Amino acid sequence: MSNHLIMKGCLRRARFTLDLDIDLDLSMPLGILGMTGAGKTTLLRVIAGLEPEFSGRVEFCGEVWHDGDHFDLVPTHRRGLGVVFQDSRLLPGQTVGSNLAFAMQRAPLVDAKLDYETLTKALNISHLLAESVDILSGGERQRVALARALLTRPRLLLLDEPLSANDADHRQQLIARLSDWLPAEGIPLVYVSHAANELAQLTRQLIVLEQGTVTEQGETHVLFEARNDAINKGTQSVTAMVMSADAEHGTATLQLDHDAVGALAPGDRVLLHREPIEGSGLGAALKPQSGENEG
Amino acid sequence: MPGDLQAVGLTALLAATTTLLLVPIASPLAWWLARSSSPFRSLIEAVVAMPLVLPPTVLGFYLLIMLNPESVVGGLWVELTGDSLTFSFSGLVIASIIYSLPFMVQPLQAAFRAVPEPVLEAAATLGASPRDRWLNVVLPMAKRGYLTGCVLTFAHTVGEFGVVLMMGGNIPGETRVLSIAIYEHVETLNYEAAHMLALGLLCFSFLSLWLVYRFAGHRFEVVRG
């Protein structure tokens, strides 16, 4: 049962139901892909024990964390998690160093190569240790949150769009670091992102969520190849990162994935069906006939 | 004059005791009021805030009824300690705790409400138990609320008059606090002594409020009725 994650049950909200029946071996890093509102973050929150209304069973490594109505079989603080939330959630009013110390003081004693020095240096936050987290940029906050999550010495690492506020260079560096570190430390990973390139580089298996239900499941490269085939057959898709958004002038700067650059021609009209948020990813199918894109 | 000094000492002792006892009493109550979605919350909030709008004499009157030696509570106290709760320092402490409850609860409630739930969730994922989260996340973030609550409770207790008069009377060394001493000086036309104490209280009240505004900003919600 090593690294097996089993989730069966549902979470009902007023306009949304998360309905899960999955059994995954997290020896291979797992990616979760889906549009905004598909239930990706909620799924991570269920794993973390932060959704008390989830009715069903959550099991990891043969240990039942949640079963039916017995929510606190294993409460969040005893699950041995490392979590990076979309909004970082650093302890306000404290320094970067205090935030990292908070994690280290509660971490189990394990022989890990990823020590404090290595992490802070590699994540480029060693010069910020004495700074208050309240003055950090979005990218810096995410890197501190990532360091903090890794310093908990997690049995399971849950990352929810952890790099979205970093620039492209930092993102690539961080992906490379995580690709090296996590297999070496043997830390199972669940990675939520809109960015197909991040998922392709970091994960080996993928589930696709749509309106709270898993619609596709398989190896990451197989699923992405199937999507590329669809592109070649005419139903093209693009993924892009919103670099900046100017609501006043109705403009946004998108950084397109390499493949998408070839799929669009100058003058093509791109229709977005949601407000572009700086640092977030967009993914959509292209309609070549109309030249419109639904983002 | 020695009687006045004794009144100052007794008042300080009463205010300090009330403040110290109210911290552990008000903390869980304020936490529950700040975080609960129970339908009874507004009811409890109204009960806690009653001393803000009730005339102190009304509160003192009911406390006198509830705590006198003939009552269940008062009788039990006499059996346990041999002393009466009415017209005693112990009775004054109980009355002060009830009378000053909103002055401690409301700033704490506001401070606890300002602690973001997402931060507590993050602390839980970092391995912090509920008690750990309370001590190491909530308390540091609520320290201004505690400062405000303590200063206001202390200052309010120092200024108590109606409840003290009803519950404690005017027994030197036991229940004769500052406000009673001032009242007695005025009654006996000893305006000079009344001035001394009244001016001292005025300065003390101003300093207390200045301390609150200086170090806690506007983060308290107490509205004096």
Side-chain angles (χ1 to χ4, degrees):
Chain A
M1 292 302 288
S2 78
N3 292 343
H4 256 270
L5 176 71
I6 299 170
M7 299 177 80
K8 285 180 186 172
C10 63
L11 176 70
R12 288 196 172 81
R13 292 265 167 77
R15 293 189 302 164
F16 169 81
T17 298
L18 182 70
D19 194 355
L20 297 171
D21 186 359
I22 53 178
D23 182 346
L24 297 159
D25 181 0
L26 295 187
S27 301
M28 291 196 297
L30 170 72
I32 302 178
L33 184 66
M35 301 297 286
T36 302
K40 306 183 297 294
T41 298
T42 311
L43 190 151
L44 281 200
R45 288 177 57 82
V46 171
I47 299 174
L50 299 173
E51 291 293 346
E53 288 154 22
F54 180 76
S55 167
R57 188 178 178 86
V58 179
E59 199 178 312
F60 181 64
C61 292
E63 189 178 291
V64 180
W65 283 353
H66 178 111
D67 192 10
D69 299 327
H70 305 288
F71 174 68
D72 274 334
L73 282 179
V74 180
T76 302
H77 68 277
R78 293 214 188 100
R79 293 190 182 189
L81 301 170
V83 185
V84 176
F85 296 90
Q86 268 176 308
D87 51 359
S88 304
R89 301 191 180 183
L90 304 177
L91 302 175
Q94 297 195 20
T95 63
V96 171
S98 304
N99 267 268
L100 300 182
F102 191 94
M104 285 192 295
Q105 285 156 4
R106 289 154 184 83
L109 286 173
V110 292
D111 188 20
K113 287 174 194 156
L114 272 181
D115 58 23
Y116 182 81
E117 296 281 328
T118 310
L119 265 173
T120 52
K121 204 172 281 180
L123 294 176
N124 195 20
I125 54 171
S126 49
H127 61 293
L128 301 171
L129 294 174
E131 301 286 350
S132 164
V133 297
D134 300 337
I135 60 157
L136 301 184
S137 71
E140 287 168 341
R141 291 176 68 83
Q142 284 189 329
R143 298 204 298 280
V144 173
L146 184 58
R148 192 178 67 167
L150 288 165
L151 285 170
T152 61
R153 308 299 176 206
R155 292 170 64 198
L156 174 59
L157 187 62
L158 308 174
L159 305 183
D160 188 359
E161 302 272 11
L163 314 177
S164 57
N166 282 278
D167 57 45
D169 284 346
H170 262 120
R171 268 205 308 280
Q172 273 313 314
Q173 278 177 23
L174 292 169
I175 288 169
R177 300 279 191 197
L178 285 171
S179 304
D180 289 342
W181 288 338
L182 300 183
E185 298 283 329
I187 303 171
L189 168 70
V190 179
Y191 192 91
V192 166
S193 180
H194 283 99
N197 60 340
E198 287 178 20
L199 288 166
Q201 290 176 77
L202 272 172
T203 69
R204 289 178 58 197
Q205 56 181 330
L206 189 71
I207 59 176
V208 180
L209 276 177
E210 275 179 35
Q211 294 180 333
T213 311
V214 176
T215 54
E216 290 179 78
Q217 181 176 345
E219 290 184 36
T220 306
H221 73 94
V222 173
L223 286 181
F224 279 134
E225 276 170 19
R227 291 187 161 220
N228 285 338
D229 285 347
I231 290 173
N232 293 335
K233 286 171 188 163
T235 317
Q236 297 189 335
S237 67
V238 293
T239 54
M241 176 63 62
V242 182
M243 303 307 290
S244 64
D246 184 350
E248 195 179 329
H249 297 95
T251 59
T253 305
L254 308 180
Q255 185 186 25
L256 298 169
D257 282 358
H258 183 70
D259 291 344
V261 176
L264 291 168
D268 274 355
R269 191 162 159 257
V270 176
L271 182 65
L272 300 177
H273 284 283
R274 68 181 173 87
E275 191 182 344
I277 298 165
E278 210 167 307
S280 74
L282 292 168
L286 277 177
K287 294 178 185 169
Q289 295 87 347
S290 63
E292 286 184 351
N293 173 29
E294 293 178 15
Chain B
M1 197 61 188
D4 285 351
L5 279 179
Q6 191 182 44
V8 170
L10 188 72
T11 306
L13 183 65
L14 177 66
T17 309
T18 303
T19 306
L20 282 176
L21 289 175
L22 261 180
V23 168
I25 291 170
S27 294
L29 182 59
W31 178 254
W32 183 80
L33 289 173
R35 315 300 282 199
S36 170
S37 52
S38 163
F40 297 108
R41 197 189 68 180
S42 53
L43 189 77
I44 303 297
E45 267 181 318
V47 171
V48 169
M50 285 280 275
L52 293 175
V53 292
L54 264 183
T57 43
V58 172
L59 196 68
F61 172 67
Y62 282 116
L63 283 170
L64 196 60
I65 300 289
M66 278 170 56
L67 301 179
N68 78 74
E70 305 299 318
S71 70
V72 177
V73 180
L76 196 66
W77 184 267
V78 172
E79 270 186 40
L80 286 173
T81 65
D83 285 329
S84 166
L85 272 177
T86 47
F87 303 103
S88 71
F89 184 76
S90 309
L92 276 196
V93 170
I94 293 175
S96 297
I97 285 172
I98 293 169
Y99 190 45
S100 292
L101 189 63
F103 289 84
M104 184 66 87
V105 167
Q106 290 196 355
L108 291 186
Q109 192 182 339
F112 291 154
R113 207 183 287 134
V115 176
E117 184 63 29
V119 171
L120 295 178
E121 287 183 353
T125 66
L126 295 170
S129 66
R131 183 171 165 273
D132 187 1
R133 295 199 286 275
W134 211 86
L135 290 174
N136 294 302
V137 180
V138 174
L139 276 190
M141 290 178 79
K143 60 182 181 225
R144 286 181 172 189
Y146 275 97
L147 173 69
T148 307
C150 288
V151 171
L152 288 180
T153 300
F154 192 94
H156 183 245
T157 308
V158 165
E160 264 180 33
F161 177 71
V163 174
V164 176
L165 194 64
M166 297 291 282
M167 268 292 291
N170 184 7
I171 305 167
E174 185 73 23
T175 63
R176 186 176 183 265
V177 293
L178 260 176
S179 55
I180 303 285
I182 293 171
Y183 180 70
E184 192 188 8
H185 286 318
V186 173
E187 286 286 283
T188 56
L189 302 179
N190 187 357
Y191 282 11
E192 193 183 342
H195 264 310
M196 291 269 289
L197 294 178
L199 191 64
L201 262 186
L202 194 80
C203 294
F204 171 76
S205 300
F206 170 76
L207 279 174
S208 303
L209 286 174
W210 177 76
L211 192 68
V212 168
Y213 281 111
R214 173 73 180 80
F215 293 106
H218 294 271
R219 293 188 185 182
F220 67 96
E221 294 182 348
V222 172
V223 179
R224 182 70 200 266

